[in-house]
Amino acid sequence: MIRVKIPATSANLGPGFDCLGLALQLYNTITVETDRPFQISLTGSYSDGIPADESNLVWRTMCHFWDLIHYPIPTVALTFENLIPPARGLGSSSAAIVGGLVAANTLAGSPYTKYELLQIANSLEGHPDNVTPALYGGITLSIPTEGGVLPRILAQSPKLRAVVIIPDLLLKTEKARGILPSQVSRRDAVFNIAHAGLLIEAFIRAEYSFLKEGMRDVLHQNQRAVLIPGLLETIEAAVQAGAYGAALSGSGPTLLALTEPEFEQNIALSMLDVFKRHDVHAQSYALAIDSEGAQII
Ligand code: HSE
Protein backbone atom coordinates (compact mmCIF):
# COMPACT_ATOMS: atom_id res chain seq x y z
CA MET A 1 0.00 0.00 0.00
CA ILE A 2 1.21 3.52 -0.69
CA ARG A 3 -0.18 6.85 0.37
CA VAL A 4 0.57 10.23 -1.27
CA LYS A 5 -0.22 13.59 0.29
CA ILE A 6 -0.43 16.56 -2.13
CA PRO A 7 -0.70 20.22 -1.12
CA ALA A 8 -3.19 22.80 -2.34
CA THR A 9 -1.52 25.57 -4.33
CA SER A 10 -2.13 29.19 -5.18
CA ALA A 11 -0.93 30.40 -8.58
CA ASN A 12 -0.08 33.79 -10.13
CA LEU A 13 0.35 35.65 -6.78
CA GLY A 14 -0.74 38.78 -8.70
CA PRO A 15 1.62 39.56 -11.59
CA GLY A 16 3.20 36.10 -12.05
CA PHE A 17 0.56 34.88 -14.50
CA ASP A 18 1.15 31.21 -15.32
CA CYS A 19 4.60 31.19 -13.65
CA LEU A 20 4.54 32.04 -9.91
CA GLY A 21 2.88 29.86 -7.28
CA LEU A 22 3.06 28.57 -3.73
CA ALA A 23 2.08 25.42 -1.84
CA LEU A 24 -0.27 25.52 1.15
CA GLN A 25 -0.65 23.27 4.17
CA LEU A 26 -4.02 21.90 3.03
CA TYR A 27 -3.86 18.44 1.50
CA ASN A 28 -5.55 15.79 -0.58
CA THR A 29 -4.45 12.22 0.13
CA ILE A 30 -4.40 9.30 -2.28
CA THR A 31 -4.13 5.76 -0.92
CA VAL A 32 -3.36 2.96 -3.37
CA GLU A 33 -3.81 -0.69 -2.40
CA THR A 34 -2.35 -3.17 -4.85
CA ASP A 35 -3.79 -6.57 -5.85
CA ARG A 36 -7.32 -5.45 -5.06
CA PRO A 37 -10.31 -5.28 -7.44
CA PHE A 38 -10.50 -1.83 -9.10
CA GLN A 39 -12.44 0.55 -6.92
CA ILE A 40 -12.40 4.26 -6.12
CA SER A 41 -13.62 5.39 -2.68
CA LEU A 42 -14.04 9.08 -1.91
CA THR A 43 -13.80 10.67 1.53
CA GLY A 44 -13.15 14.20 2.77
CA SER A 45 -15.21 17.38 2.65
CA TYR A 46 -14.91 17.92 -1.12
CA SER A 47 -15.84 14.63 -2.77
CA ASP A 48 -19.20 15.65 -4.29
CA GLY A 49 -19.14 15.58 -8.07
CA ILE A 50 -15.79 13.78 -8.29
CA PRO A 51 -16.18 10.68 -10.48
CA ALA A 52 -15.48 7.35 -8.78
CA ASP A 53 -15.01 5.45 -12.05
CA GLU A 54 -12.39 5.17 -14.75
CA SER A 55 -12.99 8.77 -15.84
CA ASN A 56 -11.45 9.97 -12.58
CA LEU A 57 -8.56 12.40 -13.21
CA VAL A 58 -6.16 10.75 -10.73
CA TRP A 59 -6.78 7.33 -12.25
CA ARG A 60 -6.52 8.64 -15.85
CA THR A 61 -3.21 10.29 -14.96
CA MET A 62 -1.88 7.06 -13.43
CA CYS A 63 -2.83 5.07 -16.55
CA HIS A 64 -1.30 7.76 -18.79
CA PHE A 65 2.00 7.48 -16.90
CA TRP A 66 2.06 3.67 -17.01
CA ASP A 67 1.28 3.75 -20.77
CA LEU A 68 4.12 6.23 -21.29
CA ILE A 69 6.67 3.95 -19.61
CA HIS A 70 5.11 0.71 -21.01
CA TYR A 71 4.32 -0.57 -17.53
CA PRO A 72 1.41 -3.05 -17.29
CA ILE A 73 -1.57 -1.38 -15.59
CA PRO A 74 -1.94 -3.01 -12.16
CA THR A 75 -5.25 -3.76 -10.44
CA VAL A 76 -5.57 -1.36 -7.56
CA ALA A 77 -8.12 0.03 -5.13
CA LEU A 78 -7.90 3.80 -4.63
CA THR A 79 -9.10 5.90 -1.71
CA PHE A 80 -9.08 9.69 -1.99
CA GLU A 81 -9.41 12.06 0.90
CA ASN A 82 -10.27 15.40 -0.70
CA LEU A 83 -9.79 18.46 1.50
CA ILE A 84 -8.90 20.88 -1.33
CA PRO A 85 -12.08 22.55 -2.63
CA PRO A 86 -12.43 21.91 -6.38
CA ALA A 87 -12.84 24.62 -9.05
CA ARG A 88 -11.93 27.39 -6.61
CA GLY A 89 -8.39 28.36 -7.70
CA LEU A 90 -6.58 26.22 -5.12
CA GLY A 91 -4.98 23.74 -7.50
CA SER A 92 -7.31 20.76 -7.04
CA SER A 93 -6.74 19.48 -10.60
CA SER A 94 -2.96 19.93 -10.25
CA ALA A 95 -3.13 17.98 -6.99
CA ALA A 96 -4.96 15.17 -8.82
CA ILE A 97 -2.39 15.13 -11.65
CA VAL A 98 0.67 15.42 -9.40
CA GLY A 99 -0.72 12.86 -6.94
CA GLY A 100 -1.54 10.43 -9.76
CA LEU A 101 1.95 10.78 -11.24
CA VAL A 102 3.77 10.40 -7.91
CA ALA A 103 1.67 7.35 -6.99
CA ALA A 104 2.04 5.68 -10.42
CA ASN A 105 5.80 6.39 -10.51
CA THR A 106 6.26 4.93 -7.02
CA LEU A 107 4.28 1.78 -7.88
CA ALA A 108 6.47 1.32 -10.98
CA GLY A 109 9.66 1.50 -8.88
CA SER A 110 10.32 5.28 -9.29
CA PRO A 111 11.87 5.29 -12.79
CA TYR A 112 11.22 9.04 -13.23
CA THR A 113 12.75 11.99 -11.35
CA LYS A 114 10.67 14.81 -9.90
CA TYR A 115 11.85 17.04 -12.75
CA GLU A 116 10.61 14.51 -15.31
CA LEU A 117 7.28 14.21 -13.50
CA LEU A 118 6.98 18.00 -13.66
CA GLN A 119 7.28 17.92 -17.46
CA ILE A 120 4.46 15.37 -17.72
CA ALA A 121 2.31 17.24 -15.17
CA ASN A 122 2.77 20.47 -17.13
CA SER A 123 1.81 18.84 -20.41
CA LEU A 124 -1.37 17.46 -18.81
CA GLU A 125 -2.34 20.63 -16.91
CA GLY A 126 -1.38 23.10 -19.66
CA HIS A 127 0.32 25.61 -17.34
CA PRO A 128 2.97 24.90 -14.71
CA ASP A 129 2.24 27.48 -11.99
CA ASN A 130 0.27 25.06 -9.75
CA VAL A 131 2.01 21.79 -10.59
CA THR A 132 5.50 23.09 -9.72
CA PRO A 133 4.67 24.05 -6.09
CA ALA A 134 2.48 20.92 -5.77
CA LEU A 135 5.59 18.84 -6.54
CA TYR A 136 8.34 20.91 -4.89
CA GLY A 137 6.63 22.88 -2.10
CA GLY A 138 7.51 26.46 -1.12
CA ILE A 139 7.15 29.49 -3.39
CA THR A 140 8.12 28.62 -6.94
CA LEU A 141 8.82 30.18 -10.32
CA SER A 142 8.22 28.03 -13.41
CA ILE A 143 10.26 29.11 -16.42
CA PRO A 144 9.23 27.96 -19.88
CA THR A 145 12.43 26.93 -21.73
CA GLU A 146 12.99 25.12 -25.01
CA GLY A 147 13.86 22.00 -23.03
CA GLY A 148 10.74 22.13 -20.82
CA VAL A 149 9.71 23.83 -17.59
CA LEU A 150 12.62 24.91 -15.41
CA PRO A 151 11.45 24.98 -11.76
CA ARG A 152 13.05 27.48 -9.36
CA ILE A 153 12.29 27.50 -5.64
CA LEU A 154 12.34 31.13 -4.49
CA ALA A 155 11.68 30.35 -0.81
CA GLN A 156 11.25 26.88 0.65
CA SER A 157 9.84 27.69 4.10
CA PRO A 158 8.89 31.37 4.24
CA LYS A 159 7.48 32.52 7.57
CA LEU A 160 4.33 33.87 5.99
CA ARG A 161 0.74 32.97 6.71
CA ALA A 162 -1.78 32.70 3.90
CA VAL A 163 -5.37 33.76 4.49
CA VAL A 164 -7.51 32.19 1.79
CA ILE A 165 -11.09 33.29 1.29
CA ILE A 166 -13.08 30.74 -0.68
CA PRO A 167 -16.33 32.09 -2.13
CA ASP A 168 -19.20 29.72 -2.69
CA LEU A 169 -18.86 30.09 -6.47
CA LEU A 170 -17.51 27.48 -8.85
CA LEU A 171 -15.26 28.88 -11.56
CA LYS A 172 -13.56 26.68 -14.10
CA THR A 173 -10.10 27.79 -15.17
CA GLU A 174 -11.10 27.53 -18.87
CA LYS A 175 -13.91 30.05 -18.32
CA ALA A 176 -11.68 32.43 -16.34
CA ARG A 177 -9.00 32.20 -19.07
CA GLY A 178 -11.55 32.55 -21.85
CA ILE A 179 -12.41 36.13 -20.89
CA LEU A 180 -8.79 37.32 -21.08
CA PRO A 181 -7.66 39.11 -24.24
CA SER A 182 -5.14 37.16 -26.34
CA GLN A 183 -2.93 40.25 -26.75
CA VAL A 184 -1.71 42.75 -24.17
CA SER A 185 -0.25 46.21 -24.57
CA ARG A 186 3.47 46.80 -24.17
CA ARG A 187 2.71 49.09 -21.22
CA ASP A 188 0.81 46.36 -19.38
CA ALA A 189 3.48 43.75 -20.18
CA VAL A 190 6.14 46.05 -18.73
CA PHE A 191 4.02 46.69 -15.63
CA ASN A 192 3.72 42.98 -14.89
CA ILE A 193 7.37 42.16 -15.69
CA ALA A 194 8.50 44.89 -13.27
CA HIS A 195 6.06 43.84 -10.54
CA ALA A 196 6.88 40.15 -10.87
CA GLY A 197 10.56 41.12 -10.52
CA LEU A 198 9.82 43.03 -7.32
CA LEU A 199 7.75 40.13 -5.98
CA ILE A 200 10.57 37.65 -6.61
CA GLU A 201 13.00 39.97 -4.81
CA ALA A 202 10.56 40.23 -1.89
CA PHE A 203 10.37 36.44 -1.54
CA ILE A 204 14.10 35.79 -1.95
CA ARG A 205 15.13 38.49 0.53
CA ALA A 206 12.11 37.96 2.83
CA GLU A 207 11.40 41.71 2.36
CA TYR A 208 7.68 41.34 2.72
CA SER A 209 7.02 45.08 2.81
CA PHE A 210 7.47 44.88 -1.00
CA LEU A 211 4.50 42.54 -1.37
CA LYS A 212 1.84 45.25 -1.44
CA GLU A 213 3.29 46.78 -4.59
CA GLY A 214 4.79 43.52 -5.83
CA MET A 215 1.46 41.66 -5.92
CA ARG A 216 -0.18 44.23 -8.22
CA ASP A 217 -1.23 42.99 -11.63
CA VAL A 218 -2.84 44.42 -14.75
CA LEU A 219 -2.99 41.32 -16.97
CA HIS A 220 -5.82 39.30 -15.44
CA GLN A 221 -7.31 40.44 -12.12
CA ASN A 222 -9.24 43.51 -13.30
CA GLN A 223 -10.54 41.49 -16.25
CA ARG A 224 -11.72 38.67 -13.98
CA ALA A 225 -13.52 41.04 -11.61
CA VAL A 226 -16.65 40.63 -13.77
CA LEU A 227 -16.78 36.96 -12.72
CA ILE A 228 -16.12 37.51 -9.01
CA PRO A 229 -18.23 40.21 -7.33
CA GLY A 230 -16.12 42.27 -4.91
CA LEU A 231 -12.75 40.95 -6.15
CA LEU A 232 -10.80 44.23 -6.21
CA GLU A 233 -12.45 45.56 -3.05
CA THR A 234 -11.52 42.36 -1.21
CA ILE A 235 -7.86 42.76 -2.13
CA GLU A 236 -7.97 46.36 -0.88
CA ALA A 237 -9.73 45.27 2.35
CA ALA A 238 -7.02 42.68 3.05
CA VAL A 239 -4.25 45.27 2.75
CA GLN A 240 -6.19 47.75 4.91
CA ALA A 241 -6.55 45.03 7.56
CA GLY A 242 -2.80 44.47 7.74
CA ALA A 243 -1.91 42.02 4.93
CA TYR A 244 1.44 42.48 3.24
CA GLY A 245 -0.34 41.93 -0.06
CA ALA A 246 -3.27 40.09 -1.62
CA ALA A 247 -4.24 38.67 -4.98
CA LEU A 248 -6.64 36.42 -6.81
CA SER A 249 -5.63 32.78 -6.20
CA GLY A 250 -5.00 31.21 -9.60
CA SER A 251 -7.93 31.92 -11.86
CA GLY A 252 -10.20 32.36 -8.80
CA PRO A 253 -12.67 32.70 -7.27
CA THR A 254 -10.51 32.23 -4.11
CA LEU A 255 -8.55 35.23 -2.81
CA LEU A 256 -5.15 34.94 -1.15
CA ALA A 257 -3.65 37.38 1.37
CA LEU A 258 -0.11 36.99 2.73
CA THR A 259 0.48 38.19 6.26
CA GLU A 260 1.97 37.85 9.73
CA PRO A 261 -0.05 35.59 12.08
CA GLU A 262 -1.33 38.43 14.30
CA PHE A 263 -3.35 39.99 11.47
CA GLU A 264 -4.87 36.86 9.98
CA GLN A 265 -8.17 36.97 11.85
CA ASN A 266 -8.78 40.63 11.09
CA ILE A 267 -7.89 40.13 7.45
CA ALA A 268 -10.26 37.18 7.10
CA LEU A 269 -13.12 39.12 8.72
CA SER A 270 -12.56 42.17 6.52
CA MET A 271 -12.42 40.13 3.34
CA LEU A 272 -15.49 38.07 4.29
CA ASP A 273 -17.31 41.30 5.04
CA VAL A 274 -16.79 42.57 1.49
CA PHE A 275 -18.14 39.33 0.05
CA LYS A 276 -21.12 39.52 2.41
CA ARG A 277 -21.92 42.99 1.06
CA HIS A 278 -21.91 41.46 -2.42
CA ASP A 279 -24.22 38.63 -1.26
CA VAL A 280 -21.50 36.05 -1.76
CA HIS A 281 -21.15 33.38 0.90
CA ALA A 282 -17.51 32.50 1.56
CA GLN A 283 -15.35 30.59 4.03
CA SER A 284 -11.82 31.32 5.20
CA TYR A 285 -8.73 29.33 6.10
CA ALA A 286 -5.47 30.59 7.59
CA LEU A 287 -2.69 28.32 6.39
CA ALA A 288 1.08 28.02 6.55
CA ILE A 289 3.17 27.53 3.42
CA ASP A 290 3.94 23.88 2.67
CA SER A 291 7.66 23.33 2.21
CA GLU A 292 7.68 19.69 1.04
CA GLY A 293 5.39 19.37 -1.98
CA ALA A 294 3.85 15.97 -2.75
CA GLN A 295 5.09 13.33 -0.32
CA ILE A 296 4.83 9.58 0.03
CA ILE A 297 3.69 9.07 3.62
N1 HSE B 1 -2.42 30.79 -14.14
C1 HSE B 1 -3.72 30.24 -14.43
C2 HSE B 1 -4.68 31.35 -14.77
C3 HSE B 1 -4.35 29.46 -13.32
O1 HSE B 1 -4.64 32.37 -14.10
O2 HSE B 1 -5.50 31.17 -15.66
C4 HSE B 1 -3.53 28.44 -12.67
O3 HSE B 1 -2.80 27.63 -13.50
Side-chain angles (χ1 to χ4, degrees), residues 79-152:
T79 306
F80 303 145
E81 187 189 22
N82 291 324
L83 300 184
I84 306 173
R88 300 300 211 293
L90 285 170
S92 63
S93 71
S94 291
I97 289 170
V98 164
L101 289 174
V102 170
N105 187 44
T106 307
L107 286 171
S110 302
Y112 274 37
T113 63
K114 201 183 269 198
Y115 175 81
E116 289 168 326
L117 295 182
L118 171 65
Q119 308 312 317
I120 306 172
N122 179 45
S123 70
L124 294 175
E125 180 71 331
H127 22 88
D129 44 349
N130 286 111
V131 291
T132 303
L135 265 167
Y136 290 85
I139 302 178
T140 61
L141 170 65
S142 305
I143 302 159
T145 74
E146 279 182 8
V149 179
L150 173 65
R152 302 299 302 160

Side-chain angles (χ1 to χ4, degrees), residues 9 28 31 41 72 97 137 146 161 175 213 232 259 264 290:
T9 47
N28 280 358
T31 304
S41 313
I97 289 170
E146 279 182 8
R161 297 283 294 178
K175 180 169 179 192
E213 186 64 36
L232 302 173
T259 181
E264 62 191 35
D290 165 90

Side-chain angles (χ1 to χ4, degrees), residues 9 17 35-36 57 99 111 123 146 148 154 187 221 229 231 275-276:
T9 47
F17 186 77
D35 299 322
R36 293 274 303 273
L57 181 57
S123 70
E146 279 182 8
L154 304 175
R187 194 184 56 183
Q221 293 187 164
L231 163 61
F275 275 129
K276 207 182 290 166

Side-chain angles (χ1 to χ4, degrees), residues 11-12 17-19 125 127 129-130 173 176-177 180 220 224 250-251:
N12 298 330
F17 186 77
D18 278 2
C19 57
E125 180 71 331
H127 22 88
D129 44 349
N130 286 111
T173 300
R177 287 175 89 79
L180 301 180
H220 68 105
R224 285 170 165 168
S251 57

Side-chain angles (χ1 to χ4, degrees), residues 187-228:
R187 194 184 56 183
D188 288 353
V190 169
F191 184 97
N192 267 48
I193 292 166
H195 281 75
L198 179 63
L199 190 52
I200 290 166
E201 182 189 3
F203 290 137
I204 289 177
R205 294 180 190 251
E207 276 285 357
Y208 301 135
S209 58
F210 292 161
L211 293 183
K212 181 179 171 196
E213 186 64 36
M215 289 177 84
R216 289 181 62 205
D217 152 85
V218 290
L219 293 186
H220 68 105
Q221 293 187 164
N222 296 347
Q223 295 80 341
R224 285 170 165 168
V226 294
L227 300 172
I228 306 158

Side-chain angles (χ1 to χ4, degrees), residues 11-68:
N12 298 330
L13 310 180
F17 186 77
D18 278 2
C19 57
L20 286 172
L22 56 78
L24 295 164
Q25 288 188 10
L26 174 69
Y27 302 93
N28 280 358
T29 308
I30 300 171
T31 304
V32 187
E33 292 169 276
T34 45
D35 299 322
R36 293 274 303 273
F38 177 76
Q39 191 191 351
I40 294 180
S41 313
L42 299 164
T43 68
S45 0
Y46 292 102
S47 293
D48 285 358
I50 300 199
D53 57 23
E54 295 195 344
S55 70
N56 181 279
L57 181 57
V58 176
W59 176 245
R60 279 192 286 126
T61 304
M62 293 173 83
C63 292
H64 173 79
F65 179 79
W66 288 324
D67 278 347
L68 208 67

